[in-house]
Amino acid sequence: MNFDANASFLNPNFKPNIPVGTVLHLEGNDYEIIGVLEKKEENSNYYWREYYLESSFEGIRFLAEYEGHWMFLQEIPFVQLPRPSDTDVSYNETTYQLFNTYKAEIRAAAGVFPIDLSKVKHQQVIEYINPPELLTVEYDNEQTDWFLGKHIEPKTIEAASRNPLLMPHRYGVGAVQPGPVKFAYWEVLKFSVLAAIVLAITQLFFVITAPNSIVLDESFVIQDRDSLATVILSQTGKIIVTPSFELKNGTKNLDFTLNAAVSNSWFETEITLINEKTGEERGFSFGVEFYEGVESGERWAEGETTAEYEMEGVPSGVYHLEITPVREIKYNNSGVSYLALSDFKLKVKRDVPYYASLFFLLILFSLYPLVQYIREYYFESARWRHSDYSPYHSDD
C-alpha cells in the first residue's frame, strides 16, 4: 500500500462522505474502505469521488460517486487498445456506447492505496455505457487499466453499513441509472401494434357476424295534440305508440335512425322504450335540424336531416316505443303561423356493430407508446446532458 502524505496535489482537509475504515457488506462480502480519491475533469468543474474497497476474499473493488449517483466497479482483463474514435466497445458479448472522453486529475485523497498516486495524477479516461453497466478505461504512457461497473442505489450502500452514513444528495440522471419504466419504448410499441392487430381482427369478426337486424322501420304522421289545432298550433304532437317488437339473443344494443324532411327548421322526438313484461322504461331525446340560404352570392347549408342514437345493453324481451314528436312553429310572409313538418321516419336496428370503440382503443394503444417514448426521450436526454457524444443534442 502507498500513500504519499506530502504529495502536492493532496488536500489534508479532505473529508469524504463515507470515511476511511467504514465496512460495507456488498454482494455477500465485507469490504473495508481503505482509501478515497476526489477527482476532477481537467478544464471543467466536474468532480467525483472514488472509494477503494478491500475484501479478504474478493480483493480490491471500487465505488464511484458523482452527483449522488453510485457505481460499483472492479478491474477486468485488458479489452483493447483505447481509441477515443471508437463509438462502441464490446465486452462479454455486450456492446457499450461511447459516453465520454476526458483527462482526470486527482484533487484530494485520504487513506492508503495499492498504487503510487503520484504516477496516476493525470490520466486519460474513456467511458462506454450500456445502462445499468459502464465500461471504462484509464490510460497514460505507461499503463492501461479497464474497469467494469454497474449502477448501485444509494439505499443499498446505506443498508450495507452498520453505522449511519451521510449520503450526498442525488441530482439529475446518472450515467448508468436504470430507466424509470420496466419496458423499453420499442417493446411497448411492439406490444401495442400486436394488440391493435388482434383488436382489429376481433372487431372485423364481430362486424361480419353481427345480425344488424331491423326490428322497426316505419313512417309516422304527426297528429295534433289539441282539438283546436286549426286555431291554436301546438309544437308537441300526440304521443305515438308503435307496434310491439321482440328482441332476441341476449343483451345487445339498439340503433335508432331518425329521418325528417326539415327545411330551415328543426324537429325533435322524445322516445321511451318500454319492456312490456317488466314495465321497465328507458328514455332519450334526439332530433334533426337543417338550414340553408344564400349570402353574398354564395349558397350555404348546415345541419342534417338524419340523426342516430345508440342505446347500449338492451336485454331480450318484447318492447314497444312511445314517441312524442316536437316540431317548429313557423310563420309565412303574412305572419300566419303553420307547423313545419307533418311526418317523419324511424328505423330501429338490433345488434349493430360500432367502430367508435375500436377507434378509441386504437388511440389508447398509440398513446401508450407515445407517452413511453416521451418519458424515455427526456430521461435519456438528461442522462447524456454532460456527454460530448449525446444523440439527443448538439452544441451548434
Side-chain angles (χ1 to χ4, degrees), residues 216-223 237-242 257-262 267-271 286 288 305 321-327 341-347:
L216 182 71
D217 187 7
E218 292 193 22
S219 296
F220 300 97
V221 175
I222 304 173
Q223 297 183 358
K238 288 184 176 179
I239 295 177
I240 300 171
V241 180
T242 69
T257 302
L258 172 68
N259 182 270
V262 291
F267 173 69
E268 186 175 291
T269 56
E270 298 176 3
I271 297 177
F286 74 144
V288 294
T305 60
L321 302 177
E322 291 186 357
I323 306 170
T324 303
V326 184
R327 51 189 168 167
L341 194 70
S342 61
D343 61 358
F344 65 93
K345 295 180 180 179
L346 184 66
K347 180 184 289 187

Side-chain angles (χ1 to χ4, degrees), residues 46-57:
Y46 299 143
Y47 298 88
W48 66 97
R49 282 141 296 280
E50 295 179 1
Y51 294 78
Y52 281 65
L53 313 179
E54 185 179 45
S55 165
S56 57
F57 295 100

